[in-house]
Amino acid sequence: MSADRDGEATGARAPEPGAVSGTPVPIQPDGWPRPRGYAHAMVAHGRMLFIAGQIGWDPVAEQIVETDFAAQTRRALDNIATLLRAAGAEPHHVTRLTWYITDLDAYRRARPAIGPVFRALFDGHYPAMSVVQVAALLEPGALVEIEATAVLPE
C-alpha cells in the first residue's frame, strides 16, 4: 500500500485512519481513475454519527423557503453542518453522503451552482457519495434530501 501525492491511500489493503482520530481517509485503488467530487470509499476509526435525511428547509420554522434546486441543496448541506457541529464534528468527518433527488435534470443543471457551495463547506474533503432519483420526497416541495454518516473525533 502507498499514498498518492494528495495523501490518499492507494492499493488493495485498507489504510489506517488519519493521524487525527476520526479523520476519514479516502481509498483510491491502484489503476482506478480518480473520482471528481466524491471518494470511491472511506475508512475511519471512532464513534459513528448518522444524520437523517436533511431537506432544504428552515428546520426551526419547518418550512421550505426556497424553490430552487441549488438553494435547497445549500440549505440541506447547511443543516447537515449544523448537526455535525452539535455532535462535536465538522464536515471533514463525513464518510458518506446519500442524496435523494426528485429531478435528475434539475440536479445536473444545478451542479455549477452546487459545486462551489459544496467545496466551501467541505473544504476539499470528498466523502463516498451516491445520488438516487426518487419519485417524490415526504415533504411537499422538497427537491433534494441528503443523509450523512460521519465518524466523530475522539
Side-chain angles (χ1 to χ4, degrees), residues 56-113:
W57 73 346
D58 177 334
V60 176
E62 295 184 329
Q63 291 183 342
I64 293 177
V65 294
E66 308 279 357
T67 58
D68 176 68
F69 192 95
Q72 283 195 21
T73 300
R74 182 188 68 245
R75 180 69 73 133
L77 291 171
D78 286 344
N79 292 344
I80 287 169
T82 298
L83 290 162
L84 287 165
R85 290 182 183 105
E90 294 293 331
H92 67 268
H93 293 113
V94 172
T95 57
R96 179 175 186 80
L97 293 172
T98 303
W99 299 48
Y100 301 95
I101 61 172
T102 59
D103 184 338
L104 185 57
D105 290 333
Y107 169 77
R108 287 180 175 145
R109 284 190 306 273
R111 284 177 68 185

CSV table of all heavy atoms in Angstrom, one decimal, residues 56-113:
chain,number,residue,atom,x,y,z
A,56,GLY,N,-34.0,20.9,2.1
A,56,GLY,CA,-33.7,22.4,2.0
A,56,GLY,C,-34.8,23.2,2.7
A,56,GLY,O,-35.5,24.0,2.0
A,57,TRP,N,-34.9,23.1,4.0
A,57,TRP,CA,-35.9,23.9,4.7
A,57,TRP,C,-35.3,24.5,5.9
A,57,TRP,O,-34.2,24.2,6.3
A,57,TRP,CB,-37.1,23.1,5.1
A,57,TRP,CG,-36.9,22.0,6.2
A,57,TRP,CD1,-35.8,21.6,6.7
A,57,TRP,CD2,-38.0,21.4,6.8
A,57,TRP,NE1,-36.1,20.6,7.7
A,57,TRP,CE2,-37.5,20.5,7.8
A,57,TRP,CE3,-39.4,21.4,6.7
A,57,TRP,CZ2,-38.2,19.7,8.6
A,57,TRP,CZ3,-40.1,20.6,7.5
A,57,TRP,CH2,-39.6,19.7,8.5
A,58,ASP,N,-36.0,25.5,6.5
A,58,ASP,CA,-35.6,26.1,7.7
A,58,ASP,C,-36.1,25.1,8.8
A,58,ASP,O,-37.3,24.9,9.0
A,58,ASP,CB,-36.4,27.4,7.9
A,58,ASP,CG,-36.1,28.1,9.2
A,58,ASP,OD1,-35.8,27.4,10.2
A,58,ASP,OD2,-36.2,29.3,9.2
A,59,PRO,N,-35.2,24.5,9.5
A,59,PRO,CA,-35.6,23.4,10.5
A,59,PRO,C,-36.4,24.0,11.7
A,59,PRO,O,-37.1,23.2,12.3
A,59,PRO,CB,-34.3,22.8,10.9
A,59,PRO,CG,-33.3,23.8,10.7
A,59,PRO,CD,-33.7,24.7,9.5
A,60,VAL,N,-36.2,25.2,12.0
A,60,VAL,CA,-37.0,25.8,13.1
A,60,VAL,C,-38.4,26.1,12.7
A,60,VAL,O,-39.4,25.7,13.4
A,60,VAL,CB,-36.3,27.1,13.6
A,60,VAL,CG1,-37.1,27.7,14.8
A,60,VAL,CG2,-34.9,26.8,14.1
A,61,ALA,N,-38.6,26.7,11.6
A,61,ALA,CA,-39.9,27.0,11.1
A,61,ALA,C,-40.6,25.8,10.4
A,61,ALA,O,-41.8,25.8,10.2
A,61,ALA,CB,-39.9,28.2,10.1
A,62,GLU,N,-39.8,24.8,10.1
A,62,GLU,CA,-40.2,23.6,9.4
A,62,GLU,C,-41.0,24.0,8.1
A,62,GLU,O,-42.0,23.5,7.8
A,62,GLU,CB,-41.1,22.7,10.3
A,62,GLU,CG,-40.4,22.2,11.5
A,62,GLU,CD,-41.2,21.2,12.3
A,62,GLU,OE1,-42.4,21.4,12.5
A,62,GLU,OE2,-40.6,20.3,12.9
A,63,GLN,N,-40.3,24.9,7.4
A,63,GLN,CA,-40.8,25.3,6.1
A,63,GLN,C,-39.7,25.4,5.0
A,63,GLN,O,-38.6,25.8,5.3
A,63,GLN,CB,-41.5,26.7,6.2
A,63,GLN,CG,-42.7,26.7,7.0
A,63,GLN,CD,-43.3,28.1,7.0
A,63,GLN,OE1,-42.6,29.1,6.7
A,63,GLN,NE2,-44.6,28.2,7.4
A,64,ILE,N,-40.1,24.9,3.8
A,64,ILE,CA,-39.2,25.1,2.7
A,64,ILE,C,-39.3,26.5,2.3
A,64,ILE,O,-40.4,27.0,2.0
A,64,ILE,CB,-39.6,24.1,1.6
A,64,ILE,CG1,-39.3,22.7,2.0
A,64,ILE,CG2,-38.8,24.4,0.3
A,64,ILE,CD1,-39.6,21.6,1.1
A,65,VAL,N,-38.2,27.2,2.2
A,65,VAL,CA,-38.2,28.7,1.9
A,65,VAL,C,-37.7,29.0,0.5
A,65,VAL,O,-37.8,30.1,0.0
A,65,VAL,CB,-37.5,29.5,3.0
A,65,VAL,CG1,-38.2,29.4,4.3
A,65,VAL,CG2,-36.1,29.0,3.1
A,66,GLU,N,-37.1,28.0,-0.1
A,66,GLU,CA,-36.5,28.2,-1.5
A,66,GLU,C,-37.2,27.1,-2.4
A,66,GLU,O,-37.4,26.0,-2.0
A,66,GLU,CB,-35.0,27.9,-1.5
A,66,GLU,CG,-34.3,28.7,-0.4
A,66,GLU,CD,-34.0,30.1,-0.9
A,66,GLU,OE1,-34.4,30.5,-2.0
A,66,GLU,OE2,-33.4,30.9,-0.1
A,67,THR,N,-37.4,27.5,-3.7
A,67,THR,CA,-38.0,26.6,-4.6
A,67,THR,C,-36.9,26.2,-5.6
A,67,THR,O,-37.1,25.3,-6.4
A,67,THR,CB,-39.1,27.2,-5.4
A,67,THR,OG1,-38.7,28.4,-6.0
A,67,THR,CG2,-40.3,27.5,-4.5
A,68,ASP,N,-35.7,26.8,-5.6
A,68,ASP,CA,-34.6,26.5,-6.5
A,68,ASP,C,-33.8,25.3,-6.0
A,68,ASP,O,-33.5,25.2,-4.8
A,68,ASP,CB,-33.7,27.7,-6.5
A,68,ASP,CG,-32.5,27.5,-7.4
A,68,ASP,OD1,-32.6,27.4,-8.6
A,68,ASP,OD2,-31.4,27.5,-6.8
A,69,PHE,N,-33.4,24.4,-6.9
A,69,PHE,CA,-32.7,23.1,-6.5
A,69,PHE,C,-31.4,23.5,-5.8
A,69,PHE,O,-31.1,22.9,-4.7
A,69,PHE,CB,-32.5,22.3,-7.7
A,69,PHE,CG,-32.0,20.9,-7.4
A,69,PHE,CD1,-32.9,19.8,-7.3
A,69,PHE,CD2,-30.6,20.7,-7.1
A,69,PHE,CE1,-32.4,18.6,-7.0
A,69,PHE,CE2,-30.2,19.4,-6.8
A,69,PHE,CZ,-31.1,18.4,-6.7
A,70,ALA,N,-30.6,24.4,-6.4
A,70,ALA,CA,-29.3,24.7,-5.7
A,70,ALA,C,-29.5,25.3,-4.4
A,70,ALA,O,-28.8,25.0,-3.4
A,70,ALA,CB,-28.5,25.6,-6.6
A,71,ALA,N,-30.5,26.2,-4.2
A,71,ALA,CA,-30.7,26.8,-2.9
A,71,ALA,C,-31.2,25.8,-1.9
A,71,ALA,O,-30.8,25.9,-0.7
A,71,ALA,CB,-31.8,27.9,-3.1
A,72,GLN,N,-32.0,24.9,-2.3
A,72,GLN,CA,-32.5,23.8,-1.4
A,72,GLN,C,-31.3,22.9,-1.0
A,72,GLN,O,-31.2,22.5,0.2
A,72,GLN,CB,-33.6,23.0,-2.0
A,72,GLN,CG,-34.9,23.6,-1.9
A,72,GLN,CD,-36.1,22.7,-2.2
A,72,GLN,OE1,-36.0,21.5,-2.0
A,72,GLN,NE2,-37.2,23.2,-2.6
A,73,THR,N,-30.4,22.7,-1.9
A,73,THR,CA,-29.2,21.8,-1.6
A,73,THR,C,-28.3,22.6,-0.6
A,73,THR,O,-27.8,22.0,0.3
A,73,THR,CB,-28.4,21.5,-2.9
A,73,THR,OG1,-29.3,20.8,-3.8
A,73,THR,CG2,-27.2,20.7,-2.6
A,74,ARG,N,-28.1,23.9,-0.8
A,74,ARG,CA,-27.3,24.7,0.1
A,74,ARG,C,-27.9,24.6,1.5
A,74,ARG,O,-27.2,24.4,2.5
A,74,ARG,CB,-27.2,26.1,-0.4
A,74,ARG,CG,-26.3,27.0,0.5
A,74,ARG,CD,-26.4,28.4,0.2
A,74,ARG,NE,-27.7,29.0,0.5
A,74,ARG,CZ,-28.6,29.5,-0.4
A,74,ARG,NH1,-28.3,29.5,-1.6
A,74,ARG,NH2,-29.7,29.9,0.0
A,75,ARG,N,-29.2,24.7,1.6
A,75,ARG,CA,-29.8,24.7,2.9
A,75,ARG,C,-29.7,23.3,3.5
A,75,ARG,O,-29.4,23.2,4.7
A,75,ARG,CB,-31.3,25.1,2.8
A,75,ARG,CG,-32.1,25.1,4.0
A,75,ARG,CD,-31.7,26.2,5.0
A,75,ARG,NE,-32.2,27.5,4.4
A,75,ARG,CZ,-32.8,28.4,5.2
A,75,ARG,NH1,-33.0,28.2,6.5
A,75,ARG,NH2,-33.2,29.5,4.6
A,76,ALA,N,-29.9,22.2,2.8
A,76,ALA,CA,-29.7,20.9,3.3
A,76,ALA,C,-28.3,20.7,3.8
A,76,ALA,O,-28.1,20.1,4.9
A,76,ALA,CB,-30.1,19.9,2.2
A,77,LEU,N,-27.3,21.1,3.0
A,77,LEU,CA,-25.9,21.0,3.5
A,77,LEU,C,-25.6,21.8,4.7
A,77,LEU,O,-24.9,21.4,5.6
A,77,LEU,CB,-25.0,21.3,2.3
A,77,LEU,CG,-25.0,20.4,1.1
A,77,LEU,CD1,-24.2,20.9,0.0
A,77,LEU,CD2,-24.4,19.0,1.6
A,78,ASP,N,-26.2,23.0,4.8
A,78,ASP,CA,-26.0,23.8,6.0
A,78,ASP,C,-26.7,23.1,7.2
A,78,ASP,O,-26.1,23.2,8.3
A,78,ASP,CB,-26.7,25.2,5.8
A,78,ASP,CG,-25.9,26.1,4.9
A,78,ASP,OD1,-24.7,25.8,4.6
A,78,ASP,OD2,-26.5,27.1,4.4
A,79,ASN,N,-27.8,22.5,7.0
A,79,ASN,CA,-28.4,21.8,8.1
A,79,ASN,C,-27.6,20.6,8.6
A,79,ASN,O,-27.4,20.4,9.8
A,79,ASN,CB,-29.8,21.3,7.7
A,79,ASN,CG,-30.8,22.4,7.5
A,79,ASN,OD1,-30.6,23.5,7.9
A,79,ASN,ND2,-31.9,22.1,6.8
A,80,ILE,N,-26.9,19.9,7.6
A,80,ILE,CA,-26.0,18.8,8.0
A,80,ILE,C,-24.8,19.4,8.8
A,80,ILE,O,-24.4,18.8,9.8
A,80,ILE,CB,-25.6,18.1,6.7
A,80,ILE,CG1,-26.7,17.2,6.2
A,80,ILE,CG2,-24.3,17.2,7.0
A,80,ILE,CD1,-26.5,16.7,4.8
A,81,ALA,N,-24.3,20.5,8.3
A,81,ALA,CA,-23.1,21.1,9.0
A,81,ALA,C,-23.5,21.5,10.5
A,81,ALA,O,-22.7,21.3,11.4
A,81,ALA,CB,-22.6,22.3,8.3
A,82,THR,N,-24.7,22.0,10.7
A,82,THR,CA,-25.2,22.4,12.0
A,82,THR,C,-25.3,21.1,12.9
A,82,THR,O,-24.9,21.2,14.0
A,82,THR,CB,-26.6,23.1,11.9
A,82,THR,OG1,-26.4,24.3,11.1
A,82,THR,CG2,-27.1,23.4,13.3
A,83,LEU,N,-25.8,20.1,12.3
A,83,LEU,CA,-25.9,18.8,13.1
A,83,LEU,C,-24.6,18.2,13.4
A,83,LEU,O,-24.3,17.7,14.5
A,83,LEU,CB,-26.8,17.8,12.4
A,83,LEU,CG,-28.3,18.1,12.3
A,83,LEU,CD1,-29.0,17.4,11.2
A,83,LEU,CD2,-28.9,17.9,13.7
A,84,LEU,N,-23.6,18.3,12.5
A,84,LEU,CA,-22.3,17.8,12.7
A,84,LEU,C,-21.6,18.6,13.9
A,84,LEU,O,-21.1,18.0,14.8
A,84,LEU,CB,-21.4,18.0,11.5
A,84,LEU,CG,-21.7,17.1,10.3
A,84,LEU,CD1,-21.0,17.6,9.0
A,84,LEU,CD2,-21.1,15.7,10.6
A,85,ARG,N,-21.7,19.9,13.8
A,85,ARG,CA,-21.1,20.7,14.9
A,85,ARG,C,-21.8,20.5,16.3
A,85,ARG,O,-21.1,20.5,17.3
A,85,ARG,CB,-21.2,22.2,14.5
A,85,ARG,CG,-20.2,22.4,13.4
A,85,ARG,CD,-20.1,23.9,12.9
A,85,ARG,NE,-19.2,24.0,11.8
A,85,ARG,CZ,-19.6,24.2,10.5
A,85,ARG,NH1,-20.9,24.3,10.2
A,85,ARG,NH2,-18.7,24.2,9.6
A,86,ALA,N,-23.1,20.2,16.3
A,86,ALA,CA,-23.8,19.9,17.5
A,86,ALA,C,-23.3,18.6,18.1
A,86,ALA,O,-23.4,18.4,19.3
A,86,ALA,CB,-25.3,19.8,17.2
A,87,ALA,N,-22.8,17.7,17.3
A,87,ALA,CA,-22.3,16.4,17.7
A,87,ALA,C,-20.8,16.5,18.0
A,87,ALA,O,-20.2,15.5,18.4
A,87,ALA,CB,-22.6,15.3,16.7
A,88,GLY,N,-20.1,17.7,17.8
A,88,GLY,CA,-18.7,17.8,18.0
A,88,GLY,C,-17.9,17.4,16.8
A,88,GLY,O,-16.7,17.1,16.9
A,89,ALA,N,-18.5,17.4,15.6
A,89,ALA,CA,-17.8,17.1,14.4
A,89,ALA,C,-17.8,18.2,13.4
A,89,ALA,O,-18.4,19.3,13.7
A,89,ALA,CB,-18.4,15.8,13.8
A,90,GLU,N,-17.1,18.0,12.3
A,90,GLU,CA,-17.0,19.0,11.3
A,90,GLU,C,-17.3,18.3,9.9
A,90,GLU,O,-17.2,17.1,9.9
A,90,GLU,CB,-15.6,19.7,11.2
A,90,GLU,CG,-15.3,20.5,12.5
A,90,GLU,CD,-16.2,21.8,12.6
A,90,GLU,OE1,-16.6,22.3,11.5
A,90,GLU,OE2,-16.4,22.2,13.7
A,91,PRO,N,-17.5,19.1,8.9
A,91,PRO,CA,-17.8,18.4,7.6
A,91,PRO,C,-16.7,17.4,7.1
A,91,PRO,O,-17.0,16.4,6.5
A,91,PRO,CB,-17.9,19.6,6.6
A,91,PRO,CG,-18.5,20.7,7.5
A,91,PRO,CD,-17.8,20.5,8.8
A,92,HIS,N,-15.4,17.7,7.5
A,92,HIS,CA,-14.4,16.7,7.1
A,92,HIS,C,-14.4,15.4,7.8
A,92,HIS,O,-13.7,14.5,7.5
A,92,HIS,CB,-13.0,17.4,7.2
A,92,HIS,CG,-12.5,17.6,8.6
A,92,HIS,ND1,-12.8,18.8,9.2
A,92,HIS,CD2,-11.9,16.9,9.5
A,92,HIS,CE1,-12.3,18.8,10.4
A,92,HIS,NE2,-11.7,17.6,10.6
A,93,HIS,N,-15.3,15.2,8.8
A,93,HIS,CA,-15.5,13.9,9.4
A,93,HIS,C,-16.6,13.1,8.7
A,93,HIS,O,-16.8,11.9,9.1
A,93,HIS,CB,-15.9,14.2,10.9
A,93,HIS,CG,-14.9,14.8,11.7
A,93,HIS,ND1,-14.9,16.0,12.2
A,93,HIS,CD2,-13.6,14.3,12.1
A,93,HIS,CE1,-13.8,16.3,12.9
A,93,HIS,NE2,-13.0,15.3,12.8
A,94,VAL,N,-17.2,13.6,7.7
A,94,VAL,CA,-18.3,12.9,7.0
A,94,VAL,C,-17.6,11.8,6.1
A,94,VAL,O,-16.6,12.1,5.4
A,94,VAL,CB,-19.1,13.8,6.1
A,94,VAL,CG1,-20.0,13.0,5.2
A,94,VAL,CG2,-19.9,14.8,7.0
A,95,THR,N,-18.1,10.6,6.2
A,95,THR,CA,-17.6,9.5,5.4
A,95,THR,C,-18.5,9.1,4.2
A,95,THR,O,-18.0,8.5,3.3
A,95,THR,CB,-17.4,8.2,6.3
A,95,THR,OG1,-18.7,7.9,6.9
A,95,THR,CG2,-16.4,8.4,7.4
A,96,ARG,N,-19.8,9.5,4.3
A,96,ARG,CA,-20.7,9.1,3.3
A,96,ARG,C,-21.9,10.1,3.2
A,96,ARG,O,-22.4,10.5,4.3
A,96,ARG,CB,-21.3,7.7,3.5
A,96,ARG,CG,-22.2,7.2,2.5
A,96,ARG,CD,-22.6,5.8,2.8
A,96,ARG,NE,-23.5,5.3,1.7
A,96,ARG,CZ,-23.0,4.9,0.6
A,96,ARG,NH1,-21.7,4.9,0.3
A,96,ARG,NH2,-23.9,4.4,-0.3
A,97,LEU,N,-22.3,10.4,2.0
A,97,LEU,CA,-23.5,11.2,1.8
A,97,LEU,C,-24.4,10.4,0.8
A,97,LEU,O,-23.8,9.9,-0.2
A,97,LEU,CB,-23.2,12.6,1.1
A,97,LEU,CG,-22.4,13.6,2.0
A,97,LEU,CD1,-22.0,14.8,1.1
A,97,LEU,CD2,-23.3,14.0,3.2
A,98,THR,N,-25.6,10.4,1.0
A,98,THR,CA,-26.6,9.8,0.1
A,98,THR,C,-27.6,10.9,-0.2
A,98,THR,O,-28.3,11.4,0.7
A,98,THR,CB,-27.3,8.6,0.7
A,98,THR,OG1,-26.3,7.6,1.0
A,98,THR,CG2,-28.2,8.0,-0.4
A,99,TRP,N,-27.7,11.3,-1.5
A,99,TRP,CA,-28.6,12.3,-2.0
A,99,TRP,C,-29.8,11.6,-2.6
A,99,TRP,O,-29.6,10.7,-3.5
A,99,TRP,CB,-27.9,13.1,-3.1
A,99,TRP,CG,-26.7,13.9,-2.7
A,99,TRP,CD1,-25.6,13.4,-2.0
A,99,TRP,CD2,-26.4,15.3,-3.0
A,99,TRP,NE1,-24.7,14.4,-1.8
A,99,TRP,CE2,-25.1,15.6,-2.4
A,99,TRP,CE3,-27.1,16.3,-3.6
A,99,TRP,CZ2,-24.6,16.8,-2.5
A,99,TRP,CZ3,-26.5,17.5,-3.8
A,99,TRP,CH2,-25.3,17.8,-3.2
A,100,TYR,N,-31.0,12.1,-2.3
A,100,TYR,CA,-32.2,11.6,-2.9
A,100,TYR,C,-32.7,12.9,-3.6
A,100,TYR,O,-33.0,13.9,-3.0
A,100,TYR,CB,-33.2,11.1,-1.9
A,100,TYR,CG,-32.7,9.9,-1.1
A,100,TYR,CD1,-32.0,10.1,0.1
A,100,TYR,CD2,-32.7,8.7,-1.6
A,100,TYR,CE1,-31.5,9.1,0.9
A,100,TYR,CE2,-32.2,7.6,-0.9
A,100,TYR,CZ,-31.6,7.8,0.3
A,100,TYR,OH,-31.1,6.7,1.0
A,101,ILE,N,-32.9,12.7,-4.9
A,101,ILE,CA,-33.3,13.9,-5.7
A,101,ILE,C,-34.6,13.5,-6.5
A,101,ILE,O,-34.8,12.4,-6.9
A,101,ILE,CB,-32.2,14.4,-6.7
A,101,ILE,CG1,-31.8,13.3,-7.7
A,101,ILE,CG2,-31.0,14.8,-5.9
A,101,ILE,CD1,-30.9,13.7,-8.8
A,102,THR,N,-35.4,14.5,-6.8
A,102,THR,CA,-36.7,14.2,-7.5
A,102,THR,C,-36.6,14.5,-9.0
A,102,THR,O,-37.4,14.0,-9.7
A,102,THR,CB,-37.8,15.1,-6.9
A,102,THR,OG1,-37.5,16.5,-7.1
A,102,THR,CG2,-38.1,14.8,-5.5
A,103,ASP,N,-35.5,15.2,-9.4
A,103,ASP,CA,-35.4,15.5,-10.8
A,103,ASP,C,-33.9,15.5,-11.2
A,103,ASP,O,-33.1,16.4,-10.8
A,103,ASP,CB,-36.0,16.9,-11.0
A,103,ASP,CG,-36.0,17.3,-12.5
A,103,ASP,OD1,-35.2,16.8,-13.3
A,103,ASP,OD2,-36.8,18.2,-12.8
A,104,LEU,N,-33.5,14.5,-11.9
A,104,LEU,CA,-32.1,14.3,-12.3
A,104,LEU,C,-31.6,15.5,-13.2
A,104,LEU,O,-30.5,16.0,-13.1
A,104,LEU,CB,-31.9,13.0,-13.0
A,104,LEU,CG,-30.5,12.6,-13.4
A,104,LEU,CD1,-29.5,12.6,-12.2
A,104,LEU,CD2,-30.4,11.3,-14.1
A,105,ASP,N,-32.5,15.9,-14.1
A,105,ASP,CA,-32.1,17.1,-15.0
A,105,ASP,C,-31.9,18.3,-14.2
A,105,ASP,O,-31.0,19.1,-14.4
A,105,ASP,CB,-33.2,17.3,-16.1
A,105,ASP,CG,-33.2,16.2,-17.1
A,105,ASP,OD1,-32.1,15.5,-17.3
A,105,ASP,OD2,-34.2,15.9,-17.7
A,106,ALA,N,-32.8,18.6,-13.2
A,106,ALA,CA,-32.6,19.8,-12.3
A,106,ALA,C,-31.3,19.7,-11.5
A,106,ALA,O,-30.6,20.7,-11.4
A,106,ALA,CB,-33.8,19.9,-11.4
A,107,TYR,N,-30.9,18.5,-11.1
A,107,TYR,CA,-29.7,18.3,-10.4
A,107,TYR,C,-28.5,18.6,-11.3
A,107,TYR,O,-27.6,19.3,-10.9
A,107,TYR,CB,-29.6,16.8,-9.9
A,107,TYR,CG,-28.2,16.4,-9.4
A,107,TYR,CD1,-27.8,16.8,-8.1
A,107,TYR,CD2,-27.4,15.6,-10.2
A,107,TYR,CE1,-26.5,16.5,-7.7
A,107,TYR,CE2,-26.1,15.3,-9.7
A,107,TYR,CZ,-25.7,15.7,-8.5
A,107,TYR,OH,-24.4,15.3,-8.0
A,108,ARG,N,-28.5,18.1,-12.5
A,108,ARG,CA,-27.5,18.3,-13.5
A,108,ARG,C,-27.3,19.8,-13.8
A,108,ARG,O,-26.2,20.3,-13.9
A,108,ARG,CB,-27.7,17.5,-14.7
A,108,ARG,CG,-27.4,16.0,-14.5
A,108,ARG,CD,-27.6,15.2,-15.8
A,108,ARG,NE,-27.3,13.8,-15.6
A,108,ARG,CZ,-27.9,12.8,-16.2
A,108,ARG,NH1,-28.9,13.0,-17.0
A,108,ARG,NH2,-27.5,11.6,-15.9
A,109,ARG,N,-28.5,20.5,-14.0
A,109,ARG,CA,-28.4,21.9,-14.3
A,109,ARG,C,-27.9,22.7,-13.1
A,109,ARG,O,-27.2,23.7,-13.3
A,109,ARG,CB,-29.8,22.4,-14.6
A,109,ARG,CG,-30.3,22.1,-16.0
A,109,ARG,CD,-31.6,22.8,-16.4
A,109,ARG,NE,-32.6,22.7,-15.5
A,109,ARG,CZ,-33.5,21.7,-15.5
A,109,ARG,NH1,-33.5,20.8,-16.4
A,109,ARG,NH2,-34.5,21.7,-14.6
A,110,ALA,N,-28.1,22.3,-11.9
A,110,ALA,CA,-27.7,23.0,-10.7
A,110,ALA,C,-26.3,22.7,-10.3
A,110,ALA,O,-25.7,23.4,-9.4
A,110,ALA,CB,-28.7,22.7,-9.5
A,111,ARG,N,-25.6,21.7,-10.9
A,111,ARG,CA,-24.3,21.3,-10.4
A,111,ARG,C,-23.3,22.5,-10.4
A,111,ARG,O,-22.5,22.6,-9.5
A,111,ARG,CB,-23.8,20.1,-11.3
A,111,ARG,CG,-24.4,18.8,-10.8
A,111,ARG,CD,-24.0,17.7,-11.6
A,111,ARG,NE,-22.6,17.4,-11.4
A,111,ARG,CZ,-21.9,16.4,-12.1
A,111,ARG,NH1,-22.6,15.7,-13.0
A,111,ARG,NH2,-20.7,16.2,-11.9
A,112,PRO,N,-23.3,23.4,-11.5
A,112,PRO,CA,-22.4,24.5,-11.4
A,112,PRO,C,-22.6,25.4,-10.2
A,112,PRO,O,-21.6,26.0,-9.7
A,112,PRO,CB,-22.6,25.3,-12.7
A,112,PRO,CG,-23.2,24.2,-13.6
A,112,PRO,CD,-24.0,23.3,-12.8
A,113,ALA,N,-23.8,25.5,-9.7
A,113,ALA,CA,-24.1,26.3,-8.5
A,113,ALA,C,-23.8,25.6,-7.2
A,113,ALA,O,-23.5,26.1,-6.2
A,113,ALA,CB,-25.5,26.8,-8.6
